[in-house]
């Protein structure tokens, strides 16, 4: 059996995989109606944001600045165009494929 990876090794691996994958992923707009269930730039960026948000628990390092930078990139449209819905339930509605 291989040795168990350290939390830092696992964190670094996940971070690298996400950062390498994001440029090659499509945006939700690129996929159109076929985007449901598919990974997009924004989805991978959101996962990277969560990795950074929880880094202090995972590896004992504060990564809040990196988390904020990824969040700002999502807000600024770097990974596709997104907007808030007018109601809380709209993203969970039956026609959420049309959700901005």
């Amino acid at each position: 059996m291989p040795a168990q990876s350290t939390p830092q090794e696992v964190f670094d691996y996940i971070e690298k995989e996400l950062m390498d994958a994001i440029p090659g992923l499509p945006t939700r707009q690129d996929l159109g109606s076929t985007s449901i269930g598919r990974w997009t730039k924004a989805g991978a960026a959101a996962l990277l944001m969560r990795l950074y948000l929880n880094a202090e628990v995972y590896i004992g390092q504060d990564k809040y600045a990196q988390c904020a930078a990824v969040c700002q990139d999502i807000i600024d449209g770097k990974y596709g165009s997104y907007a808030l819905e007018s109601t809380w339930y709209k993203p969970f509605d039956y026609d959420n494929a049309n959700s901005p």
Side-chain angles (χ1 to χ4, degrees):
M1 293 290 291
Q4 184 173 350
S5 298
T6 66
Q8 184 67 58
E9 290 170 333
V10 173
F11 183 94
D12 292 344
Y13 175 78
I14 294 170
E15 179 185 37
K16 181 183 180 327
E17 289 293 307
L18 288 169
M19 292 180 82
D20 289 350
I22 288 171
L25 290 169
T27 64
R28 183 179 62 128
Q29 289 76 27
D30 293 338
L31 295 172
S33 64
T34 64
S35 68
I36 295 176
R38 306 241 342 245
W39 273 104
T40 62
K41 290 179 187 295
L47 190 57
L48 181 63
M49 177 270 308
R50 289 182 61 140
L51 182 72
Y52 289 147
L53 181 64
N54 293 295
E56 198 165 9
V57 173
Y58 299 151
I59 59 172
Q61 296 176 28
D62 174 333
K63 299 272 185 178
Y64 297 122
Q66 292 91 326
C67 177
V70 174
C71 288
Q72 193 61 54
D73 286 344
I74 293 170
I75 291 168
D76 292 343
K78 181 176 178 180
Y79 306 112
S81 177
Y82 292 89
L84 294 175
E85 283 286 2
S86 58
T87 62
W88 68 268
Y89 60 84
K90 186 65 175 162
F92 306 102
D93 209 350
Y94 70 94
D95 67 343
N96 67 356
N98 299 319
S99 179

